[in-house]
Amino acid sequence: MSDPVIKVQNLGKLYRLGEVGTGSIADDLKRWWANVRGREDPFSTVGTVNDRTSKDGESDYVWALKDINFEVKKGEVLGIIGRNGAGKSTLLKLLSRITAPSIGSISIRGRVASLLEVGTGFNPELTGKENVYLNGTILGMTKREVDSRYEEIMEFAGCTRYADTPVKRYSSGMKVRLGFAVAAFLEPEILIVDEVLAVGDAEFQQKAIGKMQDVSKEGKRTVLFVSHNMTSVKSLCSRCILLNNGTVVINGDTEYTVNEYLKLGKDEAISFKERTLSSNQPFIFTGWEVVDKKLGNGTRVRSKSNFIVRISYLANLNLDFGKIYVAFVICDIYGQVIATAHSEYSGKSYQLNDREGQFECEIKNLPLTGGEYSIMLFCKSSKFGNLDKIENSGLLTVEEIDVYNVGKQTKSKHGIISLDQDWK
């Protein structure tokens, strides 16, 4: 194995809320003197993690990043994922040397090109052509090296016609296209790309992903890729780091890391116990479960099995709802609807005679492969329209089985549906 081109050890970034500096001259001098002596920041021993869901904290100091350790090999494509506020952009700014760490160290071998924000590194008063040469110079390239790549850059970005137009007149999408083309074609050893590709149109996003795949296949350049598009992350990255509240939760296989990241939001399913009837919500779901003959009651079923879905509710019987229709919707971990069991599909509607009750639906020969699926509940009436909808009501776990009787279980990486098939 080659030596790492990026090595991060015990990295941390501490911020003080509401003020610049420590708040007093005496404390600023203590911090300065510690820095001169090469000692740890005396104020870095306090502080809380960056939990964006918490309104109150024990300290005015917050760790945007804390105890970050990882290595990146030459030619590796590393994905960095996490929810908003997890510390992804802070980490990239530290790696790009835009800001300095509070504690820890970063070792980087090679030229770094960063694309963190729209128009990063561009002078708005200069033309597109001038900015290409300016960025090439910043990366340490000669004019001859930039000349050899200039036509490719402008063609890839689709900005050839506007080469002599000041960048300040470019749209945000044009700036991103040109910025990415410069970073990709001027061949830095390390390419850092933040979520900026989301600004481009669908066609350019495909071109950009394709270019980064080509770069990664060459094995010469290292790519750090941050995105909320998990499809792009899975297709591009060989390994992923999952950040949560400023710390590394997982550092490993892309498929596993992405699935765990997607579960973070699913784990925050709605609490049925906190739901109550009101004038604004005269009908509410109060829970659901599945009944599998072998696994019993709960949220687990087997692939290719028959099982019962029970959906509980509370309703205000003083109201005439008319006809009631109920749906049990199965979604994948990306939130895409896979299948819907809807009473209306069976020609069934209901009249509510009890304030509290259950709907039941039998689902036969479940074709899903093993894995976890998000459940959405939906109810409407002929008089009031939509009565209740819960997009994340919990997870349904489907257990893998030997669907085709070949001695091995079906894997979700081969798809989410098991097909009835007969080969000849």
Side-chain angles (χ1 to χ4, degrees), residues 411-422:
K411 298 293 184 181
S412 57
K413 68 179 181 180
H414 296 143
I416 58 176
I417 300 295
S418 299
L419 297 176
D420 288 331
Q421 51 190 285
D422 183 18

Side-chain angles (χ1 to χ4, degrees), residues 42-324:
F43 299 96
S44 66
T45 55
V46 296
T48 57
V49 295
N50 185 28
D51 185 356
R52 60 189 174 88
T53 62
S54 176
K55 295 181 180 179
D56 301 312
E58 299 174 356
S59 171
D60 290 336
Y61 292 90
V62 171
W63 287 101
L65 292 171
K66 190 173 185 181
D67 298 328
I68 306 295
N69 294 275
F70 65 89
E71 295 181 355
V72 188
K73 303 291 184 182
K74 181 180 179 180
E76 189 174 9
V77 182
L78 177 69
I80 302 175
I81 60 177
R83 294 187 290 184
N84 292 331
K88 304 185 298 299
S89 295
T90 301
L91 176 58
L92 295 192
K93 288 176 181 177
L94 291 171
L95 294 172
S96 303
R97 297 190 175 96
I98 294 172
T99 186
S102 301
I103 57 172
S105 64
I106 301 172
S107 174
I108 297 178
R109 295 192 296 113
R111 295 183 303 191
V112 179
S114 303
L115 195 58
L116 306 184
E117 296 177 3
V118 175
T120 298
F122 283 171
N123 185 324
E125 300 299 329
L126 299 181
T127 66
K129 182 176 182 178
E130 290 168 337
N131 271 294
V132 170
Y133 282 89
L134 174 63
N135 274 262
T137 303
I138 292 172
L139 289 173
M141 302 182 71
T142 65
K143 182 178 182 298
R144 180 175 296 178
E145 288 176 311
V146 179
D147 284 340
S148 65
R149 292 295 183 132
Y150 175 75
E151 294 297 334
E152 288 181 280
I153 291 171
M154 299 307 286
E155 183 179 351
F156 185 89
C159 296
T160 303
R161 185 180 179 186
Y162 311 101
D164 296 319
T165 301
V167 165
K168 65 182 179 182
R169 297 198 176 97
Y170 284 19
S171 68
S172 58
M174 288 175 65
K175 291 177 184 177
V176 167
R177 292 201 302 271
L178 186 58
F180 178 82
V182 168
F185 282 88
L186 293 187
E187 298 188 349
E189 283 87 356
I190 301 169
L191 177 60
I192 299 177
V193 184
D194 204 346
E195 190 62 82
V196 291
L197 294 184
V199 179
D201 56 29
E203 179 187 3
F204 177 74
Q205 288 183 39
Q206 287 298 109
K207 285 176 63 177
I209 295 296
K211 180 61 181 176
M212 283 193 285
Q213 287 175 331
D214 293 340
V215 167
S216 64
K217 288 176 183 176
E218 294 171 4
K220 297 179 181 178
R221 279 181 279 175
T222 304
V223 180
L224 271 60
F225 182 59
V226 170
S227 179
H228 288 289
N229 185 330
M230 293 301 108
T231 303
S232 298
V233 171
K234 290 173 73 173
S235 67
L236 186 65
C237 302
S238 55
R239 180 167 61 94
C240 268
I241 286 176
L242 173 59
L243 292 176
N244 191 38
N245 293 336
T247 60
V248 175
V249 179
I250 300 173
N251 180 357
D253 173 69
T254 298
E255 183 86 20
Y256 173 75
T257 307
V258 167
N259 289 342
E260 291 301 306
Y261 162 65
L262 293 169
K263 286 180 189 177
L264 288 176
K266 304 303 179 185
D267 290 341
E268 297 173 357
I270 190 169
S271 173
F272 285 105
K273 293 180 180 180
E274 297 176 0
R275 311 193 85 217
T276 57
L277 288 176
S278 65
S279 58
N280 295 329
Q281 194 77 16
F283 174 98
I284 59 170
F285 290 115
T286 57
W288 64 271
E289 67 174 0
V290 294
V291 183
D292 185 292
K293 288 184 178 180
K294 286 193 175 181
L295 301 178
N297 296 18
T299 60
R300 304 181 71 85
V301 294
R302 293 163 298 125
S303 182
K304 291 294 182 179
S305 68
N306 299 342
F307 61 94
I308 302 293
V309 176
R310 289 178 181 161
I311 305 172
S312 304
Y313 71 88
L314 280 175
N316 183 351
L317 293 184
N318 294 325
L319 299 174
D320 179 10
F321 294 102
K323 295 180 179 179
I324 294 286

